[in-house]
Amino acid sequence: MTGFHGRENKMARVTVIEEQITTRKQKGAMLELMGHVVDLHENGCSFAERGAAFKPNVILTDLLLPGIVGLKAIRGLMTENSDVSLIGVADIESSDSLPLTLGWAKTIGADLLMERPVTSAKLESALDDMLRPSSDG
């Protein structure tokens, strides 16, 4: 499949968890333009109720969002399927907030921390890296 900028890439099933409806739809549209199948959720509870059935390869979530129920659902899905990658999105307001933000991202099992604003270029680069076949074998 040809990707967003004409590069070969693997299509992914991407769940987006984002509270702001406009931002959620924008991220979904960017991902669909890249050829990915998208599942949108407004919060972690919505994902906990309906998200696992979608069987995502990648979860793109606001780090401040999921809440306890959503966090448990994300961790549960990632435990059941180690092939699921997690991208945490956050505002990094200063170098002082970076260690705390990185710590939280690591706590929830994020494979990547993406700083806002999320752009098509950032998304495409992250997904290309995550979906590239491993050279281990």
Side-chain angles (χ1 to χ4, degrees), residues 19-34:
E19 185 176 41
Q20 299 297 320
I21 189 167
T22 303
T23 304
R24 183 170 62 244
K25 287 181 177 181
Q26 286 173 336
K27 288 176 184 173
M30 284 189 276
L31 290 161
E32 286 174 345
L33 282 172
M34 292 176 212

Side-chain angles (χ1 to χ4, degrees), residues 1-9 33-35 124 128:
M1 164 174 254
T2 301
F4 186 60
H5 292 291
R7 296 191 314 235
E8 291 296 316
N9 72 343
L33 282 172
M34 292 176 212
E124 186 172 25
D128 283 352

Side-chain angles (χ1 to χ4, degrees), residues 40-116:
L40 303 175
H41 293 277
E42 61 275 8
N43 56 46
C45 292
S46 168
F47 174 76
E49 292 169 7
R50 305 184 314 271
F54 177 70
K55 299 185 178 168
N57 305 101
V58 178
I59 299 171
L60 177 68
T61 185
D62 186 320
L63 284 180
L64 298 178
L65 263 191
I68 298 301
V69 172
L71 184 56
K72 286 182 181 176
I74 291 169
R75 282 187 173 161
L77 179 64
M78 292 177 74
T79 299
E80 292 169 16
N81 184 353
S82 62
D83 292 337
V84 177
S85 297
L86 180 64
I87 301 172
V89 179
D91 289 315
I92 302 174
E93 297 168 6
S94 69
S95 59
D96 293 338
S97 66
L98 183 59
L100 183 61
T101 305
L102 285 171
W104 179 240
K106 189 174 184 178
T107 297
I108 67 167
D111 297 290
L112 177 73
L113 175 62
M114 186 176 293
E115 184 176 6
R116 281 190 191 89

